[in-house]
């Protein structure tokens, strides 16, 4: 069996469609795990959720942006450390369809599965034990650390799985040591390149992980920010989408 991992779509419909089109050409992909932050940054939050919720092979969890926006919608406040994104989050919250909100609220924070004796766990990012059930207002997700084996083992080394999959930090991570594989395929919808990354886990014999990239029309995607007057688009372009 092969399992695909995607994460951090961040409201980028064309990037998501490009990845799903590639995955749909492969008959050996039985499940797709989507590890949070489906919405915000990009303008296509409703479109992304419509695609994902319509598929029977996609299993999803929430990320920090999803939960921060759900908290706004529920009138439960907005995390203090995310105050720089509040204008944008409010714009997304005001546009998100009620049926998507209801389904997002039902999603877990963790996915787990055992395939051919290999345990696989998916989480948006590390959450310390005493914050596993904490509200987003209590800042449950761990501070982002640089991609290194040392940091991966410090955060995820005790997780009860041989393959730990995550997102949140946008660059690709792929580390293997001491019987564990740590993989973050990279942000599918947020990069300064013109491709959307995803990972494939192969458990047929010895477990292995590979990272792939699907090309998409990024220029057309960025034009939508201007057409819709997405709040805070200038700083997002600079930080996440264009330039070096």
């Amino acid at each position: 069996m092969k399992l695909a991992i995607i994460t951090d779509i961040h409201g980028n419909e064309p990037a998501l469609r490009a990845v799903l089109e590639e995955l749909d050409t492969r008959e050996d992909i039985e499940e797709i795990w989507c590890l949070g932050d489906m919405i915000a940054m990009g303008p296509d939050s409703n479109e992304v959720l419509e695609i994902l919720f319509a598929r029977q092979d996609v299993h999803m969890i929430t990320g920090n942006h999803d939960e921060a926006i759900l908290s706004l919608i529920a009138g439960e406040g907005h995390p203090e450390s995310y105050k720089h994104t509040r204008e944008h989050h409010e714009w997304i919250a005001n546009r998100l369809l009620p049926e998507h909100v209801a389904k997002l609220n039902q999603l877990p924070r963790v996915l787990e599965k055992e395939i051919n004796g290999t345990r696989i766990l998916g989480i948006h990012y590390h959450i310390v034990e005493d914050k596993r059930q904490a509200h987003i207002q209590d800042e449950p997700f761990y501070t982002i650390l640089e991609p290194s084996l040392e940091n991966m083992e410090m955060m995820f080394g005790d997780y009860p799985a041989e393959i730990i999959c995550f997102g949140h930090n946008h660059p690709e991570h792929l580390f293997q040591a001491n019987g564990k594989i740590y993989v973050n395929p990279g942000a599918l919808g947020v990069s300064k390149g013109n491709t959307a990354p995803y990972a494939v886990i192969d458990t047929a014999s010895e477990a292995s992980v590979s990272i792939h990239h699907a090309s998409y029309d990024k220029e057309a995607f960025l034009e939508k920010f201007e057409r819709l007057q997405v709040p805070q688009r200038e700083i997002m372009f600079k930080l996440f989408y264009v330039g070096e």
Side-chain angles (χ1 to χ4, degrees):
M1 174 181 176
K2 293 184 180 179
L3 171 69
I5 306 294
I6 60 177
T7 188
D8 294 83
I9 301 166
H10 282 298
N12 188 335
E13 179 191 11
L16 174 62
R17 287 192 182 278
V19 167
L20 293 177
E21 285 172 7
E22 284 198 8
L23 291 174
D24 286 343
T25 66
R26 304 178 54 142
E27 296 180 354
D28 54 354
I29 302 293
E30 295 187 23
E31 287 186 12
I32 301 169
W33 284 11
C34 181
L35 303 183
D37 279 3
M38 289 74 70
I39 64 177
M41 291 200 196
D44 302 330
S45 290
N46 283 312
E47 293 86 348
V48 162
L49 292 174
E50 182 176 359
I51 292 167
L52 294 172
F53 284 132
R55 294 183 64 113
Q56 297 299 311
D57 57 348
V58 172
H59 302 266
M60 302 159 66
I61 61 175
T62 53
N64 57 301
H65 284 269
D66 310 313
E67 294 187 18
I69 290 167
L70 288 175
S71 182
L72 276 176
I73 292 170
E76 297 171 351
H78 192 255
E80 179 63 23
S81 69
Y82 299 17
K83 61 184 178 182
H84 59 290
T85 65
R86 179 152 187 161
E87 181 185 2
H88 179 74
H89 278 179
E90 288 177 342
W91 186 81
I92 297 292
N94 290 332
R95 295 168 63 90
L96 211 57
L97 295 176
E99 56 266 35
H100 295 332
V101 173
K103 290 178 181 178
L104 283 174
N105 273 311
Q106 298 301 311
L107 296 179
R109 276 183 173 162
V110 176
L111 293 171
E112 296 181 86
K113 190 179 188 72
E114 184 171 327
I115 309 172
N116 297 333
T118 298
R119 294 172 298 172
I120 306 170
L121 185 147
I123 190 168
H124 187 61
Y125 204 61
H126 176 47
I127 304 175
V128 297
E129 191 67 34
D130 63 357
K131 287 193 171 184
R132 291 292 170 88
Q133 305 302 319
H135 191 276
I136 192 65
Q137 284 275 68
D138 296 325
E139 309 280 0
F141 294 103
Y142 204 74
T143 302
I144 288 179
L145 299 181
E146 289 297 315
S148 71
L149 176 59
E150 180 181 12
N151 285 336
M152 299 304 101
E153 291 185 319
M154 186 276 289
M155 290 191 291
F156 302 113
D158 292 336
Y159 279 47
E162 286 72 53
I163 303 178
I164 297 95
C165 312
F166 59 98
H168 191 47
N169 193 359
H170 293 170
E172 297 174 15
H173 305 51
L174 184 54
F175 299 95
Q176 183 169 2
N178 301 317
K180 288 183 180 285
I181 299 174
Y182 309 93
V183 58
N184 172 358
L188 185 152
V190 181
S191 78
K192 294 189 176 182
N194 297 320
T195 61
Y198 63 96
V200 174
I201 299 174
D202 187 349
T203 62
S205 53
E206 183 177 354
S208 64
V209 179
S210 55
I211 295 178
H212 308 262
H213 291 260
S215 298
Y216 73 100
D217 189 347
K218 185 177 177 181
E219 183 176 348
F221 170 66
L222 294 180
E223 287 174 355
K224 192 179 296 186
F225 283 78
E226 299 295 340
R227 186 166 71 252
L228 297 177
Q229 294 292 288
V230 176
Q232 299 184 287
R233 60 192 178 280
E234 293 85 1
I235 187 64
M236 288 192 289
F237 281 4
K238 181 178 180 180
L239 292 176
F240 302 116
Y241 294 109
V242 297
E244 295 299 326

